[in-house]
Amino acid sequence: MMTKLLDKSALTSLPKKWTLSGDEKSIHQNFEFKTFAEAFSFMTHVALLAEKADHHPDWSNAYNKVDITLSSHDAGGLTQKDIDLAAQISHFVWLPQN
């Protein structure tokens, strides 16, 4: 089990598009792509990262939009795993800058 982050300063290392939930138990970002195929390709890549990290996002897809929420449910909030996965997702050079 991961240790819950009590100090939220680790969030400053992430792009500003990741937002902290009101209850401070998760972070969220919306992604928008030109096509469904681009969104699905992105989700496939994130799925591989998540599987490798053994940390899986709560997410949804509607056509060209993907919404991702990261939280460590077993820890009751944010952990370093959430920050690390968000950072990996953010490092895709082909992500749109919407």
Side-chain angles (χ1 to χ4, degrees):
M1 180 172 168
M2 294 290 295
T3 304
K4 185 176 168 181
L5 286 177
L6 299 176
D7 178 8
K8 303 299 187 273
S9 65
L11 296 171
T12 61
S13 67
L14 297 175
K16 300 283 185 241
K17 291 184 180 187
W18 286 99
T19 58
L20 183 63
S21 65
D23 63 6
E24 297 189 350
K25 291 185 177 185
S26 65
I27 53 176
H28 179 84
Q29 186 170 349
N30 300 316
F31 298 87
E32 187 171 341
F33 301 88
K34 291 181 182 176
T35 65
F36 172 76
E38 287 181 9
F40 193 83
S41 176
F42 168 75
M43 289 182 75
T44 301
H45 195 81
V46 171
L48 294 172
L49 290 173
E51 191 65 20
K52 184 176 179 181
D54 192 28
H55 192 61
H56 304 94
D58 292 326
W59 59 1
S60 65
N61 164 246
Y63 181 60
N64 66 331
K65 295 178 174 78
V66 178
D67 297 329
I68 298 179
T69 300
L70 298 173
S71 182
S72 296
H73 301 290
D74 60 342
L78 287 172
T79 66
Q80 191 61 47
K81 275 191 165 189
D82 301 303
I83 303 303
D84 293 345
L85 186 54
Q88 288 179 3
I89 292 168
S90 297
H91 279 101
F92 294 149
V93 294
W94 53 273
L95 277 179
Q97 299 300 309
N98 294 340

Coordinates of all heavy atoms in Angstrom, one line a residue:
M1 N 0.9 -1.2 0.0 CA 0.0 0.0 0.0 C 0.9 1.2 0.0 O 1.9 1.3 0.7 CB -0.9 0.0 1.2 CG -1.8 1.2 1.3 SD -3.0 0.9 2.7 CE -3.7 2.5 2.8
M2 N 0.5 2.2 -0.8 CA 1.3 3.4 -0.9 C 0.8 4.4 0.2 O -0.2 4.3 0.7 CB 1.0 4.1 -2.3 CG 1.5 3.4 -3.5 SD 3.2 3.4 -3.6 CE 3.6 5.1 -3.9
T3 N 1.7 5.3 0.5 CA 1.5 6.3 1.6 C 0.8 7.5 0.9 O 1.3 8.0 -0.1 CB 2.8 6.7 2.3 OG1 3.4 5.6 2.8 CG2 2.5 7.7 3.4
K4 N -0.2 8.0 1.5 CA -1.0 9.1 1.0 C -0.1 10.4 1.1 O 0.6 10.6 2.1 CB -2.2 9.3 1.9 CG -3.1 10.4 1.4 CD -4.4 10.4 2.3 CE -5.2 11.6 2.1 NZ -6.4 11.6 2.9
L5 N -0.1 11.2 0.1 CA 0.7 12.5 0.1 C 0.0 13.5 1.0 O -1.2 13.9 0.7 CB 0.7 13.1 -1.3 CG 1.7 12.4 -2.3 CD1 1.5 13.1 -3.7 CD2 3.1 12.4 -1.9
L6 N 0.6 13.9 2.0 CA 0.1 14.9 2.9 C 0.5 16.3 2.4 O -0.2 17.3 2.5 CB 0.5 14.7 4.3 CG 0.1 13.3 4.9 CD1 0.6 13.2 6.3 CD2 -1.5 13.3 4.9
D7 N 1.7 16.4 1.8 CA 2.2 17.6 1.3 C 2.0 17.6 -0.2 O 2.5 16.8 -1.0 CB 3.7 17.7 1.6 CG 4.4 18.9 1.0 OD1 3.7 19.8 0.5 OD2 5.6 19.0 1.0
K8 N 1.1 18.5 -0.7 CA 0.7 18.6 -2.1 C 1.7 19.3 -2.9 O 1.5 19.6 -4.1 CB -0.6 19.3 -2.2 CG -1.8 18.6 -1.4 CD -2.0 17.2 -1.8 CE -3.2 16.6 -1.2 NZ -3.0 16.0 0.1
S9 N 2.9 19.7 -2.4 CA 3.9 20.4 -3.2 C 4.4 19.6 -4.4 O 4.9 20.1 -5.4 CB 5.1 20.8 -2.3 OG 5.8 19.7 -1.9
A10 N 4.3 18.2 -4.4 CA 4.7 17.4 -5.5 C 3.9 17.8 -6.8 O 4.3 17.5 -7.9 CB 4.5 15.9 -5.2
L11 N 2.7 18.3 -6.6 CA 1.9 18.7 -7.7 C 2.5 19.8 -8.5 O 2.2 20.0 -9.7 CB 0.5 19.2 -7.2 CG -0.4 18.1 -6.6 CD1 -1.6 18.7 -5.9 CD2 -0.7 17.0 -7.5
T12 N 3.4 20.6 -8.0 CA 4.0 21.7 -8.7 C 4.9 21.2 -9.8 O 5.2 22.0 -10.7 CB 4.8 22.6 -7.7 OG1 5.8 21.9 -7.1 CG2 3.9 23.2 -6.7
S13 N 5.3 20.0 -9.8 CA 6.1 19.4 -10.8 C 5.3 19.0 -12.1 O 5.9 18.8 -13.1 CB 6.9 18.2 -10.3 OG 5.9 17.1 -10.1
L14 N 4.0 19.0 -12.0 CA 3.1 18.7 -13.1 C 2.7 19.9 -13.9 O 2.6 21.0 -13.3 CB 1.9 17.9 -12.6 CG 2.1 16.6 -11.9 CD1 0.8 16.1 -11.3 CD2 2.7 15.6 -12.8
P15 N 2.4 19.7 -15.1 CA 1.8 20.9 -15.9 C 0.5 21.4 -15.2 O -0.2 20.6 -14.6 CB 1.5 20.2 -17.3 CG 2.4 19.1 -17.4 CD 2.6 18.5 -16.0
K16 N 0.2 22.6 -15.4 CA -0.9 23.3 -14.7 C -2.2 22.7 -15.2 O -3.2 22.9 -14.5 CB -0.9 24.8 -15.0 CG 0.3 25.5 -14.5 CD 0.3 25.7 -13.0 CE 1.4 26.5 -12.6 NZ 2.3 25.8 -11.6
K17 N -2.3 22.0 -16.3 CA -3.5 21.4 -16.7 C -4.1 20.3 -15.8 O -5.2 19.9 -15.9 CB -3.4 20.9 -18.2 CG -3.3 22.1 -19.1 CD -3.2 21.7 -20.5 CE -3.1 22.9 -21.4 NZ -3.2 22.6 -22.8
W18 N -3.2 19.7 -15.0 CA -3.6 18.7 -14.0 C -4.2 19.5 -12.8 O -3.6 20.4 -12.3 CB -2.5 17.9 -13.5 CG -2.1 16.8 -14.5 CD1 -1.0 16.9 -15.3 CD2 -2.7 15.6 -14.7 NE1 -0.9 15.8 -16.1 CE2 -2.0 15.0 -15.8 CE3 -3.8 15.0 -14.2 CZ2 -2.3 13.7 -16.3 CZ3 -4.2 13.7 -14.7 CH2 -3.4 13.1 -15.7
T19 N -5.5 19.3 -12.5 CA -6.1 20.0 -11.4 C -6.4 19.1 -10.2 O -6.8 17.9 -10.4 CB -7.4 20.7 -11.9 OG1 -8.3 19.7 -12.4 CG2 -7.2 21.7 -13.0
L20 N -6.3 19.7 -9.1 CA -6.5 19.0 -7.8 C -8.0 19.1 -7.5 O -8.6 20.1 -7.6 CB -5.7 19.6 -6.7 CG -5.8 19.0 -5.3 CD1 -5.2 17.6 -5.3 CD2 -5.0 19.9 -4.3
S21 N -8.6 17.9 -7.1 CA -10.1 17.9 -6.8 C -10.3 18.7 -5.5 O -9.4 19.0 -4.7 CB -10.5 16.5 -6.6 OG -9.9 15.9 -5.5
G22 N -11.5 19.1 -5.3 CA -11.9 19.9 -4.2 C -11.6 19.2 -2.9 O -11.2 19.9 -1.9
D23 N -11.8 17.9 -2.8 CA -11.5 17.1 -1.6 C -10.0 16.7 -1.5 O -9.6 16.1 -0.6 CB -12.4 15.9 -1.5 CG -12.1 14.9 -2.6 OD1 -11.2 15.1 -3.5 OD2 -12.9 13.9 -2.7
E24 N -9.2 17.1 -2.5 CA -7.8 16.9 -2.6 C -7.4 15.4 -2.6 O -6.3 15.1 -2.1 CB -7.0 17.7 -1.4 CG -7.2 19.2 -1.5 CD -6.3 19.9 -0.5 OE1 -5.7 19.3 0.4 OE2 -6.2 21.1 -0.7
K25 N -8.3 14.6 -3.1 CA -8.0 13.1 -3.1 C -7.7 12.7 -4.5 O -7.4 11.5 -4.7 CB -9.2 12.4 -2.6 CG -9.5 12.5 -1.1 CD -10.6 11.7 -0.6 CE -10.7 11.8 0.9 NZ -11.8 10.9 1.4
S26 N -7.7 13.5 -5.5 CA -7.4 13.1 -6.9 C -7.0 14.3 -7.7 O -7.2 15.4 -7.3 CB -8.7 12.5 -7.5 OG -9.7 13.4 -7.7
I27 N -6.4 14.0 -8.8 CA -6.0 15.0 -9.8 C -6.7 14.6 -11.1 O -7.0 13.4 -11.4 CB -4.5 15.1 -10.0 CG1 -3.8 13.8 -10.3 CG2 -3.9 15.8 -8.8 CD1 -2.3 13.9 -10.6
H28 N -7.0 15.6 -12.0 CA -7.8 15.4 -13.2 C -7.3 16.2 -14.3 O -6.8 17.3 -14.1 CB -9.3 15.7 -12.9 CG -10.2 15.6 -14.0 ND1 -10.7 14.3 -14.3 CD2 -10.6 16.4 -15.0 CE1 -11.5 14.5 -15.4 NE2 -11.4 15.7 -15.8
Q29 N -7.4 15.6 -15.5 CA -7.1 16.4 -16.7 C -8.0 16.0 -17.8 O -8.3 14.8 -18.0 CB -5.6 16.3 -17.1 CG -5.3 17.3 -18.3 CD -3.8 17.3 -18.6 OE1 -3.0 16.9 -17.8 NE2 -3.5 18.0 -19.7
N30 N -8.5 16.9 -18.6 CA -9.2 16.6 -19.8 C -8.3 16.8 -21.0 O -7.5 17.7 -21.1 CB -10.4 17.7 -20.0 CG -11.4 17.6 -18.9 OD1 -11.7 16.5 -18.4 ND2 -11.7 18.8 -18.4
F31 N -8.4 15.8 -22.0 CA -7.6 15.9 -23.2 C -8.5 15.9 -24.4 O -9.6 15.2 -24.4 CB -6.7 14.6 -23.3 CG -5.7 14.5 -22.1 CD1 -6.1 13.8 -21.0 CD2 -4.4 15.0 -22.3 CE1 -5.2 13.7 -19.9 CE2 -3.5 14.9 -21.2 CZ -3.9 14.2 -20.0
E32 N -8.2 16.7 -25.4 CA -9.0 16.7 -26.6 C -8.1 16.5 -27.8 O -7.0 17.1 -27.9 CB -9.7 18.0 -26.7 CG -10.7 18.1 -27.9 CD -11.6 19.3 -27.8 OE1 -11.7 19.9 -26.8 OE2 -12.1 19.6 -28.9
F33 N -8.5 15.7 -28.7 CA -7.8 15.3 -29.9 C -8.5 15.7 -31.2 O -9.7 16.0 -31.1 CB -7.4 13.8 -29.9 CG -6.6 13.4 -28.7 CD1 -7.3 13.1 -27.5 CD2 -5.3 13.4 -28.7 CE1 -6.6 12.7 -26.3 CE2 -4.5 13.1 -27.5 CZ -5.2 12.8 -26.4
K34 N -7.9 15.6 -32.3 CA -8.6 15.9 -33.6 C -9.6 14.8 -34.0 O -10.6 15.1 -34.5 CB -7.5 16.1 -34.7 CG -6.7 17.3 -34.5 CD -5.7 17.5 -35.6 CE -4.9 18.7 -35.4 NZ -3.8 18.9 -36.4
T35 N -9.3 13.6 -33.6 CA -10.1 12.5 -34.1 C -10.3 11.4 -33.0 O -9.5 11.4 -32.0 CB -9.5 11.7 -35.3 OG1 -8.3 11.1 -34.9 CG2 -9.3 12.7 -36.5
F36 N -11.3 10.6 -33.2 CA -11.4 9.4 -32.3 C -10.2 8.5 -32.3 O -9.8 8.0 -31.2 CB -12.7 8.6 -32.7 CG -12.8 7.3 -31.9 CD1 -13.3 7.3 -30.6 CD2 -12.5 6.1 -32.5 CE1 -13.4 6.1 -29.9 CE2 -12.6 4.9 -31.8 CZ -13.0 4.9 -30.5
A37 N -9.6 8.3 -33.5 CA -8.5 7.4 -33.6 C -7.3 8.0 -32.8 O -6.6 7.2 -32.1 CB -8.1 7.3 -35.0
E38 N -7.1 9.3 -32.8 CA -6.0 9.8 -31.9 C -6.3 9.7 -30.5 O -5.4 9.3 -29.7 CB -5.8 11.3 -32.3 CG -5.2 11.6 -33.6 CD -5.0 13.1 -33.9 OE1 -5.2 13.9 -33.0 OE2 -4.6 13.4 -35.0
A39 N -7.5 9.9 -30.1 CA -7.9 9.7 -28.7 C -7.7 8.2 -28.2 O -7.2 7.9 -27.2 CB -9.4 10.1 -28.4
F40 N -8.1 7.3 -29.1 CA -8.0 5.9 -28.8 C -6.5 5.5 -28.7 O -6.1 4.7 -27.8 CB -8.7 5.0 -29.8 CG -8.9 3.6 -29.4 CD1 -9.9 3.3 -28.5 CD2 -8.0 2.7 -29.8 CE1 -10.1 1.9 -28.1 CE2 -8.2 1.3 -29.4 CZ -9.2 1.0 -28.5
S41 N -5.7 6.0 -29.6 CA -4.3 5.7 -29.6 C -3.7 6.2 -28.3 O -2.8 5.5 -27.7 CB -3.6 6.4 -30.8 OG -2.2 6.2 -30.8
F42 N -4.0 7.4 -27.9 CA -3.6 8.0 -26.6 C -4.0 7.1 -25.5 O -3.1 6.7 -24.6 CB -4.2 9.4 -26.4 CG -4.0 9.9 -25.1 CD1 -2.8 10.4 -24.6 CD2 -5.1 10.0 -24.2 CE1 -2.7 11.0 -23.3 CE2 -5.0 10.6 -22.9 CZ -3.8 11.1 -22.5
M43 N -5.2 6.6 -25.4 CA -5.7 5.7 -24.4 C -4.9 4.4 -24.3 O -4.6 3.9 -23.2 CB -7.2 5.5 -24.5 CG -8.0 6.7 -24.2 SD -9.8 6.4 -24.3 CE -10.0 5.4 -22.8
T44 N -4.6 3.9 -25.5 CA -3.8 2.7 -25.6 C -2.4 2.9 -25.0 O -2.0 2.0 -24.2 CB -3.7 2.2 -27.0 OG1 -5.0 2.0 -27.5 CG2 -2.9 0.9 -27.1
H45 N -1.8 4.0 -25.3 CA -0.5 4.3 -24.8 C -0.5 4.4 -23.2 O 0.3 3.9 -22.5 CB 0.1 5.5 -25.4 CG 1.6 5.6 -25.2 ND1 2.5 5.0 -25.9 CD2 2.3 6.4 -24.3 CE1 3.7 5.3 -25.5 NE2 3.6 6.1 -24.5
V46 N -1.5 5.2 -22.8 CA -1.7 5.4 -21.3 C -1.9 4.1 -20.6 O -1.4 3.8 -19.5 CB -2.8 6.4 -21.0 CG1 -3.1 6.5 -19.5 CG2 -2.3 7.8 -21.5
A47 N -2.7 3.2 -21.3 CA -3.0 1.9 -20.7 C -1.8 1.1 -20.5 O -1.6 0.4 -19.4 CB -4.0 1.1 -21.5
L48 N -0.8 1.1 -21.4 CA 0.4 0.4 -21.3 C 1.3 1.0 -20.2 O 1.9 0.2 -19.4 CB 1.2 0.4 -22.6 CG 0.5 -0.3 -23.8 CD1 1.3 -0.1 -25.1 CD2 0.4 -1.8 -23.5
L49 N 1.3 2.3 -20.1 CA 2.0 2.9 -18.9 C 1.4 2.5 -17.6 O 2.1 2.2 -16.6 CB 2.0 4.5 -19.1 CG 2.8 5.1 -20.2 CD1 2.5 6.6 -20.2 CD2 4.3 4.9 -20.0
A50 N 0.1 2.6 -17.5 CA -0.6 2.3 -16.3 C -0.4 0.8 -15.9 O -0.2 0.5 -14.7 CB -2.1 2.5 -16.5
E51 N -0.4 -0.1 -16.9 CA -0.2 -1.5 -16.6 C 1.2 -1.7 -16.1 O 1.4 -2.5 -15.1 CB -0.5 -2.3 -17.8 CG -0.6 -3.8 -17.6 CD -1.7 -4.3 -16.7 OE1 -2.7 -3.5 -16.5 OE2 -1.6 -5.4 -16.1
K52 N 2.2 -1.1 -16.7 CA 3.6 -1.2 -16.3 C 3.8 -0.7 -14.8 O 4.5 -1.3 -14.0 CB 4.5 -0.5 -17.2 CG 6.0 -0.6 -16.9 CD 6.8 0.0 -18.0 CE 8.3 -0.1 -17.6 NZ 9.1 0.6 -18.6
A53 N 3.1 0.4 -14.5 CA 3.2 1.0 -13.2 C 2.3 0.3 -12.2 O 2.3 0.6 -11.0 CB 2.8 2.4 -13.2
D54 N 1.4 -0.6 -12.6 CA 0.4 -1.3 -11.8 C -0.4 -0.2 -11.0 O -0.7 -0.3 -9.8 CB 1.1 -2.3 -10.8 CG 0.0 -3.2 -10.1 OD1 -1.0 -3.4 -10.7 OD2 0.3 -3.6 -9.0
H55 N -0.8 0.8 -11.8 CA -1.6 1.9 -11.3 C -2.6 2.3 -12.4 O -2.1 2.8 -13.4 CB -0.7 3.0 -10.8 CG -1.4 4.0 -10.0 ND1 -2.1 3.7 -8.8 CD2 -1.6 5.4 -10.3 CE1 -2.6 4.9 -8.4 NE2 -2.4 5.8 -9.2
H56 N -3.9 2.2 -12.2 CA -4.8 2.3 -13.3 C -5.7 3.6 -13.0 O -6.3 3.7 -12.0 CB -5.6 1.1 -13.4 CG -4.7 -0.1 -13.6 ND1 -4.3 -0.9 -12.6 CD2 -4.1 -0.6 -14.7 CE1 -3.5 -1.8 -13.1 NE2 -3.3 -1.6 -14.4
P57 N -5.9 4.4 -14.1 CA -6.7 5.6 -14.0 C -8.2 5.3 -14.0 O -8.6 4.3 -14.5 CB -6.3 6.4 -15.2 CG -5.9 5.3 -16.2 CD -5.3 4.2 -15.4
D58 N -8.9 6.3 -13.5 CA -10.4 6.3 -13.7 C -10.5 7.2 -14.9 O -9.9 8.4 -14.9 CB -11.1 6.9 -12.5 CG -11.1 6.1 -11.3 OD1 -11.1 4.8 -11.5 OD2 -11.0 6.6 -10.2
W59 N -11.1 6.7 -16.0 CA -11.1 7.6 -17.2 C -12.4 7.3 -18.0 O -13.1 6.3 -17.8 CB -9.9 7.4 -18.0 CG -9.5 6.0 -18.5 CD1 -10.2 4.9 -18.4 CD2 -8.4 5.7 -19.3 NE1 -9.5 3.8 -18.9 CE2 -8.4 4.3 -19.5 CE3 -7.3 6.4 -19.8 CZ2 -7.4 3.6 -20.3 CZ3 -6.3 5.7 -20.5 CH2 -6.4 4.4 -20.7
S60 N -12.6 8.2 -18.9 CA -13.7 8.0 -19.9 C -13.3 8.6 -21.2 O -12.4 9.4 -21.3 CB -15.0 8.7 -19.4 OG -14.8 10.1 -19.3
N61 N -14.0 8.2 -22.2 CA -13.8 8.6 -23.6 C -15.1 8.9 -24.3 O -16.0 8.1 -24.2 CB -13.0 7.5 -24.4 CG -13.0 7.7 -25.9 OD1 -13.6 6.9 -26.6 ND2 -12.4 8.8 -26.3
A62 N -15.2 10.0 -24.9 CA -16.3 10.4 -25.8 C -15.8 11.0 -27.1 O -15.2 12.1 -27.0 CB -17.3 11.3 -25.1
Y63 N -15.8 10.2 -28.1 CA -15.3 10.5 -29.4 C -13.8 11.0 -29.4 O -13.0 10.2 -29.2 CB -16.2 11.6 -30.2 CG -15.6 11.9 -31.5 CD1 -15.5 11.0 -32.5 CD2 -15.2 13.2 -31.8 CE1 -14.9 11.3 -33.8 CE2 -14.7 13.5 -33.1 CZ -14.5 12.6 -34.0 OH -14.0 12.9 -35.2
N64 N -13.6 12.3 -29.4 CA -12.2 12.8 -29.4 C -11.7 13.3 -28.1 O -10.7 13.9 -27.9 CB -12.0 13.9 -30.5 CG -12.8 15.1 -30.2 OD1 -13.8 15.1 -29.5 ND2 -12.3 16.2 -30.6
K65 N -12.5 13.1 -27.0 CA -12.2 13.6 -25.7 C -11.9 12.4 -24.7 O -12.5 11.4 -24.7 CB -13.3 14.4 -25.1 CG -13.5 15.7 -26.0 CD -14.7 16.4 -25.4 CE -14.9 17.7 -26.1 NZ -15.5 17.7 -27.4
V66 N -10.8 12.6 -23.9 CA -10.5 11.6 -22.9 C -10.3 12.4 -21.6 O -9.6 13.4 -21.5 CB -9.1 10.9 -23.2 CG1 -8.8 10.0 -22.1 CG2 -9.2 10.2 -24.6
D67 N -11.0 11.9 -20.6 CA -10.9 12.5 -19.2 C -10.2 11.5 -18.3 O -10.6 10.4 -18.3 CB -12.3 12.9 -18.6 CG -13.1 13.9 -19.5 OD1 -12.4 14.8 -20.1 OD2 -14.3 13.8 -19.5
I68 N -9.2 12.0 -17.6 CA -8.4 11.1 -16.7 C -8.4 11.6 -15.3 O -8.1 12.8 -15.1 CB -7.0 10.9 -17.2 CG1 -6.9 10.3 -18.6 CG2 -6.2 10.1 -16.2 CD1 -5.5 10.1 -19.2
T69 N -8.8 10.8 -14.4 CA -8.7 11.1 -13.0 C -7.7 10.1 -12.3 O -7.9 8.9 -12.5 CB -10.0 11.0 -12.3 OG1 -10.9 12.0 -12.9 CG2 -9.9 11.3 -10.8
L70 N -6.8 10.6 -11.5 CA -5.8 9.7 -10.9 C -6.0 9.9 -9.4 O -6.0 11.0 -8.8 CB -4.4 10.1 -11.3 CG -4.0 9.9 -12.7 CD1 -2.6 10.4 -13.0 CD2 -4.1 8.4 -13.1
S71 N -6.1 8.7 -8.7 CA -6.2 8.7 -7.2 C -5.8 7.3 -6.8 O -6.0 6.3 -7.5 CB -7.6 9.0 -6.8 OG -7.7 9.0 -5.4
S72 N -5.2 7.2 -5.6 CA -4.9 5.8 -5.1 C -5.9 5.5 -4.1 O -5.9 5.8 -2.9 CB -3.5 5.9 -4.4 OG -2.5 6.2 -5.4
H73 N -6.9 4.8 -4.5 CA -8.1 4.5 -3.7 C -7.7 3.7 -2.4 O -8.3 4.0 -1.4 CB -9.1 3.7 -4.5 CG -9.6 4.4 -5.7 ND1 -10.4 5.6 -5.7 CD2 -9.3 4.3 -7.1 CE1 -10.6 6.0 -6.9 NE2 -10.0 5.3 -7.7
D74 N -6.8 2.8 -2.5 CA -6.4 2.0 -1.4 C -5.7 2.8 -0.3 O -5.7 2.5 0.9 CB -5.5 0.8 -1.7 CG -4.2 1.1 -2.4 OD1 -4.1 2.3 -3.0 OD2 -3.3 0.3 -2.5
A75 N -5.1 4.0 -0.7 CA -4.5 4.9 0.2 C -5.4 6.0 0.7 O -5.1 6.8 1.6 CB -3.2 5.5 -0.4
G76 N -6.6 6.1 0.0 CA -7.6 7.1 0.4 C -7.2 8.5 -0.1 O -7.7 9.5 0.4
G77 N -6.5 8.6 -1.2 CA -6.1 9.9 -1.8 C -4.9 9.8 -2.7 O -4.6 8.7 -3.2
L78 N -4.3 10.9 -2.9 CA -3.1 11.0 -3.8 C -1.9 10.3 -3.2 O -1.6 10.5 -2.0 CB -2.8 12.4 -4.1 CG -3.7 13.2 -5.0 CD1 -3.4 14.6 -5.1 CD2 -3.7 12.6 -6.4
T79 N -1.1 9.6 -4.0 CA 0.2 9.1 -3.7 C 1.2 9.5 -4.7 O 0.8 10.0 -5.8 CB 0.1 7.6 -3.5 OG1 -0.1 7.0 -4.8 CG2 -0.9 7.1 -2.5
Q80 N 2.4 9.1 -4.5 CA 3.5 9.4 -5.5 C 3.2 8.6 -6.8 O 3.5 9.1 -7.9 CB 4.8 9.0 -4.9 CG 6.0 9.4 -5.8 CD 6.0 10.9 -5.9 OE1 5.9 11.7 -4.9 NE2 6.2 11.4 -7.1
K81 N 2.5 7.5 -6.7 CA 2.1 6.8 -8.0 C 1.3 7.7 -8.9 O 1.4 7.6 -10.1 CB 1.4 5.5 -7.7 CG 2.3 4.3 -7.4 CD 1.4 3.0 -7.4 CE 2.4 1.9 -7.4 NZ 1.6 0.6 -7.6
D82 N 0.4 8.4 -8.3 CA -0.5 9.3 -9.1 C 0.4 10.4 -9.8 O 0.2 10.7 -11.0 CB -1.6 10.0 -8.2 CG -2.4 8.9 -7.6 OD1 -3.0 8.1 -8.3 OD2 -2.5 8.9 -6.3
I83 N 1.3 11.0 -9.0 CA 2.1 12.1 -9.6 C 3.0 11.5 -10.7 O 3.2 12.1 -11.7 CB 3.0 12.7 -8.4 CG1 2.2 13.2 -7.3 CG2 3.9 13.7 -9.0 CD1 1.1 14.2 -7.7
D84 N 3.6 10.3 -10.4 CA 4.5 9.7 -11.4 C 3.7 9.4 -12.7 O 4.2 9.6 -13.8 CB 5.1 8.4 -10.9 CG 6.1 8.7 -9.7 OD1 6.5 9.9 -9.5 OD2 6.4 7.7 -9.0
L85 N 2.5 8.8 -12.6 CA 1.8 8.5 -13.8 C 1.3 9.7 -14.5 O 1.4 9.8 -15.8 CB 0.6 7.6 -13.5 CG -0.2 7.0 -14.7 CD1 0.7 6.3 -15.7 CD2 -1.4 6.1 -14.2
A86 N 0.9 10.7 -13.8 CA 0.5 12.0 -14.5 C 1.7 12.6 -15.2 O 1.6 13.1 -16.3 CB 0.0 13.0 -13.4
A87 N 2.9 12.5 -14.6 CA 4.1 13.0 -15.3 C 4.4 12.3 -16.5 O 4.7 12.9 -17.6 CB 5.3 13.0 -14.3
Q88 N 4.3 10.9 -16.5 CA 4.5 10.1 -17.7 C 3.5 10.5 -18.8 O 3.9 10.6 -20.0 CB 4.4 8.7 -17.4 CG 5.6 8.2 -16.5 CD 5.5 6.7 -16.2 OE1 4.5 6.0 -16.6 NE2 6.4 6.2 -15.5
I89 N 2.3 10.6 -18.4 CA 1.2 11.0 -19.4 C 1.6 12.3 -20.0 O 1.4 12.5 -21.2 CB -0.2 11.0 -18.7 CG1 -0.6 9.6 -18.4 CG2 -1.2 11.7 -19.7 CD1 -1.8 9.5 -17.4
S90 N 2.0 13.3 -19.2 CA 2.3 14.6 -19.7 C 3.5 14.7 -20.6 O 3.7 15.7 -21.2 CB 2.5 15.6 -18.5 OG 1.3 15.6 -17.7
H91 N 4.4 13.7 -20.5 CA 5.6 13.8 -21.3 C 5.4 13.3 -22.8 O 6.4 13.3 -23.6 CB 6.7 12.9 -20.7 CG 7.4 13.7 -19.6 ND1 7.1 13.4 -18.3 CD2 8.3 14.6 -19.6 CE1 7.8 14.2 -17.5 NE2 8.6 15.0 -18.3
F92 N 4.2 13.0 -23.2 CA 4.0 12.7 -24.6 C 4.2 14.0 -25.4 O 3.5 15.0 -25.2 CB 2.5 12.2 -24.9 CG 2.2 10.9 -24.2 CD1 0.9 10.7 -23.8 CD2 3.2 10.0 -24.0 CE1 0.6 9.5 -23.2 CE2 2.8 8.8 -23.4 CZ 1.6 8.5 -23.0
V93 N 5.1 14.0 -26.3 CA 5.4 15.1 -27.1 C 4.3 15.5 -28.1 O 4.2 16.6 -28.6 CB 6.8 15.0 -27.9 CG1 7.9 15.0 -26.9 CG2 6.8 13.8 -28.8
W94 N 3.5 14.5 -28.5 CA 2.5 14.7 -29.5 C 1.1 15.1 -28.9 O 0.2 15.3 -29.6 CB 2.3 13.5 -30.4 CG 2.1 12.2 -29.6 CD1 3.0 11.4 -29.1 CD2 0.8 11.7 -29.2 NE1 2.4 10.3 -28.4 CE2 1.1 10.5 -28.5 CE3 -0.5 12.0 -29.5 CZ2 0.0 9.7 -28.0 CZ3 -1.5 11.2 -29.0 CH2 -1.3 10.1 -28.3
L95 N 1.1 15.3 -27.5 CA -0.2 15.7 -26.9 C -0.6 17.1 -27.4 O 0.3 18.0 -27.6 CB -0.1 15.8 -25.4 CG -0.3 14.5 -24.7 CD1 -0.1 14.7 -23.2 CD2 -1.6 13.9 -25.0
P96 N -1.9 17.3 -27.7 CA -2.3 18.7 -28.1 C -2.2 19.7 -27.0 O -2.2 19.3 -25.8 CB -3.8 18.4 -28.5 CG -4.2 17.3 -27.7 CD -3.0 16.4 -27.6
Q97 N -2.0 20.9 -27.3 CA -1.9 22.0 -26.3 C -3.2 22.8 -26.3 O -3.2 24.0 -26.2 CB -0.7 22.9 -26.7 CG 0.6 22.1 -26.7 CD 1.0 21.5 -25.4 OE1 0.9 22.2 -24.3 NE2 1.3 20.2 -25.4
N98 N -4.3 22.1 -26.2 CA -5.6 22.8 -26.1 C -5.8 23.4 -24.8 O -5.4 23.0 -23.8 CB -6.8 21.9 -26.4 CG -6.7 21.4 -27.9 OD1 -6.1 22.0 -28.7 ND2 -7.4 20.3 -28.2

